[in-house]
Every structure is written in C-alpha cells, then in structure tokens.
Amino acid sequence: MGLLSLAIWTPIFFGAVLLAFGRDDQARAVRWIALIGALVSLLVTLPLYDGFKLGTSAMQFVEKAPWIDAFHVNYHLGVDGISLWFVLLTAFINVVVIIASWESITTRVNQYMGAFMILSGLMIGVFCALDGLLFYVFFEATLIPMYLIIGIWGGPNKIYAAFKFFLYTLLGSLLMLIALIYLYSKSGGSFDLSVWHKLPLSGTAQTLLFFAFFSAFAVKVPMWPVHTWLPDVHVEAPTGGSAVLAAIMLKLGAYGFLRFSMPIAPDAAREWAWLMIALSLIAVIYVGLVAMVQQDMKKLVAYSSVAHMGFVTLGFFIFSDIGVAGGLVQMIAHGFVSAAMFLSIGVLYDRMHSREIASYGGVVNTMPKFAAFALLFSMANCGLPGTAGFVGEWMVILGAVKANFWLGFAAATALIFGAAYTLWMYKRVYLGPVTNEHVKELKDINAREFLVMTLLAVAVLWMGLYPKPFTDVMNASVTDLLKHVASSKLN
C-alpha cells in the first residue's frame, strides 16, 4: 500500500474500529484509540513532505489500480504542489479536534470520534484523487459524517442546519456529476483528470462545464450569494464540527476550482473571471460588514470565514503566480486560524454555555493564559504581520494591485473590516472589568486545552514568520497551471 493510500485509509480504519465500541462506558478507551489513530494518521503523511521533490509540477507518490473495469474507472491517486499541504493540514487538524473534544462529548463518544476519523480520510481522498469519479465519490462521501456530526451532536436547531448543509451541497454537486459524465463521453471513456485537461472543447462546452463545476464548488467555498447555509451550520454544529468545516471542508470547493474548473475550461475561466472577481469582492467587503453586526461569536467567525475565502477565489482568478499562490497560502493559513478561532469559542462555551458576546466581558481577569492565546488568534484573523493570516492576504492584495490598482484597493479594505469586527469581539469578550458573576467564576484553561492552543499557536506563528516551505512546494505547480490556463483549448 502506497503512502497516499495509507494517508486515506488509516483514519478510516481507526474510525471503523471506533464504531465497534458501542457503549458510553467504554468512552475512555474510545478517546485513546481515537487519539492514537489520529496521531498515526498524521505520522503516515509526514513522509509525503520529506520525499516531495521541489521544482516539478508532476504528480508524485502516484498510485493507480483498476477499480471499475467496465467503465475504465481507476483508483488513481497522486499529489502535487497544490494538494500536498492540504493532506498534511487535514491530518493535523484531525489530531487537534480529537484532543479538543476529549471532555466536551459525553454521549455516543465512539460514533463522534469515528465520524471525525472517517471524515478525515475521505477529505484526504478528495485532495489525492486523480480520477474524476473517484474524486466525486470522496467529495460527496464527506457529506455523510459531517451531516451526522451536525445532526446528532449539534445545537437546538441541529436538524434544520444539517438538512440545509446537506441539501445545498448535494444539489450543487448534481450538475458537477453531469459535467463529469459529459467529459467521460467526450474523452472516449476516460475519467483520468490528465486526459480531461487536454481535451479540446468548444467555447459553449467550456462555459457550461465551468458553471456546472461552479455550482458545486462555489457552494462549498462558500461564495456569495450561496453562503447562507454556513452561519446556520456553524451556530448549530459542535465545536469540533465547526473547526473541521472551516479549516478543511471549505477548502474542498476552492481546491476544485484549481483541479477542475480552470484547467478543464481555461477559456471560460478567463472569460468569466470578471464575475468570479466581483463575487469575491462582495464576499470580502459586504460579508465583512455583515460580520461587524453579529452578536453571536460563532456567527461572527462564520461570516469572517466567508470573507477570508473571498480572498482565495480573488487570488485564483487574477491569473498571476503571486495571486494563485497567495490564494493557496490563504487557504492553509485560514485552516489554522479558523480552527483556532472556533476552538477558542468552544473553550468559553464549555464553561458558560453561551456564544452571545453580551454574556461575557473581562475574561482576561479570570482566564489570562487563555486570553493571551485568543489575542494571538484574533490578531491572525485580522491579518497581523508575523502571523499566518497576513501572508496569503498580502500576496493576494499584491497580485490584485498588479492587475488593477482599484481592484487591490477594494480588496485591501477588507483588512480594515476584518480588524474592526475581530477586535470589537475581543474587546467585548475579554477586556475591561468582569461584568457578571459567571465570568468571575471562570477557570483558566487546563493542560489539555493549553496543548490544543499551543499546537495551533505554533502553526500560526510558524507560517507567519517562515512561509517559505509552503510557497516552495507550490511554486512549480502554480506556474504550470497558469501556463495551461493561458493556452486556448477551443477546437
């Protein structure tokens, strides 16, 4: 079994083992099995980075075996500079979420931990799939464990939120399935992505394919105006579910644009870039303004995620090296920062059972260690230089300014909005005198919570201070992608 198969199936195997533990009196053993499984799953991904060859855009660690011979469907895996870091990010966030959920989940612990392990493997499968049908299977299968996580362990309106999440994402994917079938027919019976990337397609066909893929990937990102499901889901999802949703699942859609939309329909991508840029700027500016009036911490960070992902799609459709690389860096940085923000809210919710900003005030007086971590993550969410949140946004803005000054100027305004709503939330929740007896009785983070915060803090600072390992990996693949997009495929 190759390294990529190990990365995919190791967490799925441990997830299946966890589901065999059916009683809550085995919860302690379940938690340790889940942690061991998550650590093993992370360890098997590390050789991917160690053995990755820089300076080439070729797929590496390739595995290929027949799957459905009658339709020429293959179990075909590989990673390049675009996908490698997302495999590592997924495995890392899984470890963090398992530790963070150690005490907060007390019922059906085996199913909860098992769902996260299986979800981790499926998401890694999305980033590794080089066969169109295999990608679709992994892409859609991720909905099942997340639907269960929201619907079983969520808040009072969990069923509504889970149904809305499933419906939005599934309906968008149906048009993508039609596009995959069309490409299969057009290519003479192949689901190989490399074959699809070389297909000569008419302008009309490319436009239809572009919007078919857009329907699936834009919902997943989510882009404005199909973003409305995200705040509802975040509010109702358990803390771990919100962390994984923001850190990894939103990236599946943005990744799809790079793997499908742009290389398969490059002419349509260039023709409709103005629309993608416009929608991205609306997300960056308008949704940022919406975030400023939120009273629920989770809703505020959820809208913040929409705004930050707007930078990603903006960077992609500028069609410059620094813009696309900036979008990729922003995806990884947002994975660290958004997970940290949601898990920080979870720390407070576990103690107060409230996400309302008005319920807090003066938390720094009773939880100084935690308040220090929260300040770092808030600064990263603002895009403070030296943190992960700055690097990708700065690269995208620089690319936008090179393309058009006013485009870059509009994107840069989002940094002001981001600082405004994030610092406003931090001020109201953490600073000033203690506002009520509940806050006065709060206890600072314990050793387990300190470990979670430390892991995320190290990641946020490492990427902010030394982004070179991230950019070095992706440079060759980004350059090759842009060369491909620049060439016409019109037949």
Side-chain angles (χ1 to χ4, degrees), residues 197 206 209-215 217 253-270 276 317 481 485:
H197 290 176
Q206 286 195 45
L209 287 169
F210 182 82
F211 282 104
F213 288 127
F214 174 86
S215 68
F217 301 142
Y255 174 77
F257 281 122
L258 296 182
R259 195 61 85 207
F260 286 82
S261 304
M262 292 167 65
I264 292 175
D267 297 285
R270 295 196 305 273
M276 300 298 294
F317 286 90
L481 172 66
V485 173

Side-chain angles (χ1 to χ4, degrees), residues 142-144 146-147 150 160-170 220 229 233 245 249:
T142 59
L143 299 182
I144 300 171
M146 182 54 77
Y147 177 83
I150 299 165
Y160 165 77
F163 182 75
K164 190 173 185 179
F165 162 76
F166 198 91
L167 188 64
Y168 265 66
T169 50
L170 180 63
K220 206 83 164 188
W229 63 269
V233 170
L245 180 63
M249 289 201 76

Side-chain angles (χ1 to χ4, degrees), residues 365-416:
N365 297 286
T366 52
M367 302 179 70
K369 293 179 184 177
F370 173 64
F373 281 115
L375 179 61
L376 170 63
F377 301 142
S378 296
M379 292 296 103
N381 201 52
C382 295
L384 182 74
T387 65
F390 170 76
V391 183
E393 291 184 359
W394 178 80
M395 292 172 70
V396 171
I397 291 172
L398 184 59
V401 168
K402 287 184 176 180
N404 182 287
F405 172 79
W406 294 110
L407 181 64
F409 178 81
T413 59
L415 296 180
I416 300 172

Side-chain angles (χ1 to χ4, degrees), residues 20-361:
F21 288 79
R23 301 191 308 274
D24 283 335
D25 60 3
Q26 298 171 318
R28 179 177 173 81
V30 164
R31 293 185 180 103
W32 280 106
I33 292 173
L35 178 58
I36 292 169
L39 289 171
V40 171
S41 301
L42 175 61
L43 289 174
V44 299
T45 65
L46 297 182
L48 294 173
Y49 176 74
D50 185 58
F52 190 84
K53 297 178 182 177
L54 302 178
T56 175
S57 62
M59 289 292 170
Q60 302 184 41
F61 307 102
V62 175
E63 302 174 35
K64 189 173 183 179
W67 180 25
I68 308 174
D69 282 332
F71 297 100
H72 306 289
V73 181
N74 295 304
Y75 176 76
H76 191 187
L77 306 174
V79 290
D80 61 359
I82 292 173
S83 54
L84 174 68
W85 275 110
F86 296 108
V87 175
L88 297 168
L89 175 65
T90 304
F92 171 74
I93 293 296
N94 190 45
V95 173
V96 172
V97 167
I98 293 297
I99 300 172
S101 304
W102 201 264
E103 295 175 358
S104 60
I105 301 300
T106 56
T107 59
R108 298 182 178 179
V109 180
N110 67 310
Q111 296 174 23
Y112 181 86
M113 297 294 187
F116 273 107
M117 296 298 295
I118 292 171
L119 178 60
S120 176
L122 294 174
M123 291 189 296
I124 291 174
V126 172
F127 295 122
C128 297
L130 299 181
D131 181 278
L133 189 61
L134 183 65
F135 174 91
Y136 185 81
V137 169
F138 280 130
F139 190 82
E140 292 301 286
T142 59
L143 299 182
I144 300 171
M146 182 54 77
Y147 177 83
L148 296 174
I149 289 167
I150 299 165
I152 296 175
W153 296 277
N157 295 319
K158 58 189 177 185
I159 302 301
Y160 165 77
F163 182 75
K164 190 173 185 179
F165 162 76
F166 198 91
L167 188 64
Y168 265 66
T169 50
L170 180 63
L171 288 178
S173 298
L174 292 178
L175 287 176
M176 179 173 72
L177 179 60
I178 295 172
L180 299 182
I181 294 171
Y182 171 82
L183 290 166
Y184 172 78
S185 174
K186 191 73 175 177
S187 62
S190 174
F191 280 104
D192 193 315
L193 292 189
S194 62
V195 174
W196 289 357
H197 290 176
K198 298 173 185 175
L199 281 178
L201 299 168
S202 68
T204 302
Q206 286 195 45
T207 298
L208 292 173
L209 287 169
F210 182 82
F211 282 104
F213 288 127
F214 174 86
S215 68
F217 301 142
V219 171
K220 206 83 164 188
V221 168
M223 297 182 69
W224 184 90
V226 289
H227 68 287
T228 56
W229 63 269
L230 186 67
D232 291 335
V233 170
H234 272 309
V235 167
E236 299 303 325
T239 300
S242 288
V244 169
L245 180 63
I248 310 296
M249 289 201 76
L250 304 189
K251 312 306 181 288
L252 302 183
Y255 174 77
F257 281 122
L258 296 182
R259 195 61 85 207
F260 286 82
S261 304
M262 292 167 65
I264 292 175
D267 297 285
R270 295 196 305 273
E271 180 182 355
W272 293 99
W274 66 269
L275 176 63
M276 300 298 294
I277 290 172
L279 295 178
S280 300
L281 286 176
I282 292 173
V284 167
I285 299 171
Y286 167 71
V287 178
L289 289 171
V290 173
M292 292 178 70
V293 300
Q294 300 304 312
Q295 302 300 317
D296 182 297
M297 288 188 286
K298 261 196 171 185
K299 269 198 172 182
L300 188 150
V301 178
Y303 281 113
S304 170
S305 291
V306 177
H308 283 109
M309 290 303 291
F311 271 101
V312 172
T313 48
L314 175 63
F316 289 173
F317 286 90
I318 293 171
F319 300 122
S320 69
D321 284 352
I322 194 168
V324 176
L328 284 167
V329 170
Q330 172 69 358
M331 287 167 71
I332 301 165
H334 183 257
F336 294 137
V337 177
S338 63
M341 292 292 288
F342 280 113
L343 291 174
S344 295
I345 294 170
V347 169
L348 293 174
Y349 184 80
D350 288 343
R351 288 160 168 76
M352 294 271 288
H353 301 290
S354 173
R355 293 184 298 269
E356 293 296 318
I357 294 173
S359 299
Y360 296 89

